[in-house]
Amino acid sequence: ERIPAYLPDTPGVRRDFAKFYNAMESMDKELAFRLRELEEAGLADDTIVFFWSDHGVGLPRSKRWNYESGTRAPLIVHIPEKWRTPGQAKPGTVDDQLVSFLDLAPTVLNLAGVPVPEHFQGRAFLGPNLKAPREYIYSCHDRMDERYDLVRSVTDGRYVYVRNYMPHLIYGQHLNYMWQTPTTRVWEQLHKEGKLNAAQDKFWNPKPPEELFDLQSDPDEVVNLADSKEHAEIKKELRVIQANHA
């Protein structure tokens, strides 16, 4: 498998990723077992299944960070034929609408025919009478176990704008939990030895006040476009949106 561009491609890092993929394979088998239980109990045609995860194990620049590598999580929904709204949840299809975990509760209520309370921040993304789709997803980063920071971000699905309100702090603040992974220790050691390229070394340095990434051309989010004249308008747009929702 390809190692993200922000990490050094070493045997130790690959071992951590291999363990992660092995865990996902085991998880897939467990899910298959639970789905088979529903079939054997005669409940499969009456059960809507939501399958999602959190942001995975504590690999650096994944969980706890405002990049797509830290905020994007898998979500699969299976709806039996008789409970589907026409045009939704067709087996084997991918829906690219923006979804937040805040949307899970409203979606379940909507599918069950229960009115969604007005005070809910989320929006239903399946079922009848849907409101307008999300335009943006927001994320925040204030505390990482024993460390503090202040980061906000917004994405429209293609561009990710990150506002670092404490840029003097490096990305890779020491966290006891994260330093249990060999990847973190190897990465830090190579930084100390001066053996990282610019994209890999960025994690161990102070942050710029603003970051902008194009997920289409730069899925690993290593090319900061915040100073790009070509992207000045999208940065301005997302900056204002982020500031209004901080």
Side-chain angles (χ1 to χ4, degrees):
E1 287 289 337
R2 185 184 68 85
I3 299 300
Y6 52 83
L7 287 173
D9 191 346
T10 70
V13 172
R14 284 190 168 271
R15 277 194 296 273
D16 269 358
F17 272 77
K19 292 177 181 178
F20 186 56
Y21 291 130
N22 285 340
M24 287 193 288
E25 184 177 3
S26 298
M27 174 193 64
D28 287 345
K29 292 177 180 178
E30 178 68 19
L31 176 61
F33 175 74
R34 298 304 174 190
L35 293 176
R36 190 164 57 249
E37 281 187 325
L38 288 174
E39 292 179 0
E40 293 172 352
L43 299 173
D45 291 337
D46 290 300
T47 304
I48 298 174
V49 178
F50 285 78
F51 177 79
W52 74 94
S53 82
D54 72 353
H55 309 291
V57 296
L59 289 174
R61 228 203 78 161
S62 296
K63 188 175 183 177
R64 301 182 181 87
W65 273 268
N66 294 64
Y67 303 108
E68 283 283 284
S69 55
T71 60
R72 192 177 183 89
L75 172 62
I76 301 172
V77 183
H78 169 70
I79 303 179
E81 180 67 37
K82 65 182 178 180
W83 301 117
R84 290 180 202 154
T85 298
Q88 296 180 6
K90 295 180 180 179
T93 61
V94 177
D95 192 329
D96 62 359
Q97 66 177 303
L98 296 176
V99 173
S100 167
F101 283 165
L102 289 171
D103 301 333
L104 291 174
T107 300
V108 170
L109 292 175
N110 194 44
L111 288 169
V114 177
V116 178
E118 287 296 325
H119 65 272
F120 274 30
Q121 295 183 28
R123 60 168 291 278
F125 57 86
L126 288 169
N129 304 316
L130 297 182
K131 296 180 180 179
R134 280 186 177 276
E135 295 184 87
Y136 307 101
I137 292 287
Y138 307 92
S139 66
C140 65
H141 170 101
D142 293 313
R143 184 179 68 84
M144 311 165 291
D145 297 331
E146 69 270 28
R147 292 291 177 264
Y148 290 87
D149 205 338
L150 183 58
V151 184
R152 297 291 184 269
S153 73
V154 59
T155 179
D156 62 3
R158 175 174 177 180
Y159 291 99
V160 177
Y161 172 80
V162 181
R163 181 71 168 90
N164 294 303
Y165 288 94
M166 301 180 76
H168 59 287
L169 298 177
I170 69 170
Y171 296 92
Q173 293 189 68
H174 190 279
L175 306 174
N176 181 65
Y177 176 81
M178 195 172 70
W179 256 252
Q180 304 306 311
T181 65
T183 288
T184 308
R185 298 195 298 270
V186 168
W187 197 6
E188 182 183 39
Q189 184 61 37
L190 291 175
H191 159 70
K192 291 177 178 178
E193 295 172 358
K195 296 180 180 179
L196 299 175
N197 62 36
Q200 297 164 353
D201 202 54
K202 171 184 170 182
F203 189 74
W204 305 101
N205 291 279
K207 305 179 290 293
E210 296 179 293
E211 297 175 90
L212 179 70
F213 303 100
D214 182 350
L215 297 175
Q216 190 174 93
S217 61
D218 177 30
D220 288 342
E221 297 161 287
V222 295
V223 180
N224 184 8
L225 301 172
D227 294 328
S228 166
K229 293 182 180 179
E230 294 179 30
H231 299 84
E233 286 303 313
I234 184 64
K235 184 184 79 168
K236 180 180 178 181
E237 174 189 333
L238 293 179
R239 176 200 284 154
V240 171
I241 291 167
Q242 183 276 314
N244 289 338
H245 292 80

